[in-house]
Amino acid sequence: MSETTIRVLGESDWAAYRTARLRALRESPEAFAAAYDYEAVFDEQVWRDRMNRSWRLMAERGPEMVGIVSVRSREGLFQNAAEVFGLWVPVALRGAGIAAALVQAAARVAAEQGHAQLIYWVGNENARGIAFASSFGFRPTELRRPMRVAGTESSEEIALTLALDR
């Protein structure tokens, strides 16, 4: 098995990100607020614009894409924070350390951009997701919001924070 590498994508990588994002939406629709049919019709400019709004990271094993995550500045709710979102790894590869590597890379990107905290929202009933985030040192805050994932009605997400070493 090849080693997993993670790279930060640039605007010119929009097509690779589009392919990965659409695969994630198709294979795990319950994990995202957006739907495959909605995003599949976006034109090139929309994807290029997305690349410039957040840092997009892609995990690869050789030529194969094996995961994605995004990071963006998230001021307002927290002081000097970035938010990690859109984390996805194919079902067959979950538990192989790819998601952990992506979160660690996202934390490095946030710290390099001068952020002191990383925020991660997770469903309050998602024990596996909370345990995963807690294993990195993320801690729950008092903040809650309605779940924005397709197909959920009454669940909430909790914000978890991680102090970044800078």
Side-chain angles (χ1 to χ4, degrees):
M1 183 180 303
S2 299
E3 179 181 333
T4 301
T5 59
I6 298 175
R7 64 185 175 107
V8 178
L9 303 176
E11 182 181 338
S12 64
D13 296 309
W14 71 270
Y17 178 71
R18 177 187 185 274
T19 299
R21 171 73 176 178
L22 292 178
R23 179 178 171 196
L25 291 172
R26 191 174 42 254
E27 292 182 13
S28 301
E30 74 287 349
F32 297 95
Y36 173 86
D37 291 340
Y38 176 74
E39 292 193 10
V41 298
F42 288 170
D43 66 15
E44 177 180 335
Q45 192 57 54
V46 171
W47 290 102
R48 285 182 178 278
D49 291 346
R50 278 186 157 192
M51 300 304 288
N52 292 316
R53 285 196 313 257
S54 303
W55 297 278
R56 311 295 178 165
L57 288 73
M58 181 178 287
E60 298 167 313
R61 286 189 174 165
E64 181 184 7
M65 184 283 299
V66 295
I68 53 173
V69 71
S70 296
V71 183
R72 66 178 162 217
S73 294
R74 184 62 183 200
E75 300 300 329
L77 293 178
F78 300 89
Q79 185 177 2
N80 195 16
E83 178 182 20
V84 62
F85 65 101
L87 176 63
W88 179 79
V89 172
V91 173
L93 295 173
R94 292 180 187 166
I98 297 166
L102 282 164
V103 170
Q104 290 166 342
R108 281 191 301 276
V109 167
E112 288 167 3
Q113 299 303 315
H115 294 290
Q117 297 181 75
L118 191 61
I119 311 306
Y120 183 56
W121 290 90
V122 65
N124 63 352
E125 296 177 6
N126 182 352
R128 185 175 179 184
I130 292 170
F132 171 78
S134 295
S135 73
F136 291 98
F138 281 93
R139 296 296 174 251
T141 71
E142 72 285 352
L143 293 175
R144 306 287 184 272
R145 69 181 183 191
M147 194 76 137
R148 298 185 312 173
V149 173
T152 61
E153 294 184 19
S154 62
S155 295
E156 288 184 322
E157 290 181 298
I158 61 173
L160 299 123
T161 62
L162 174 68
L164 299 172
D165 295 331
R166 296 187 300 146

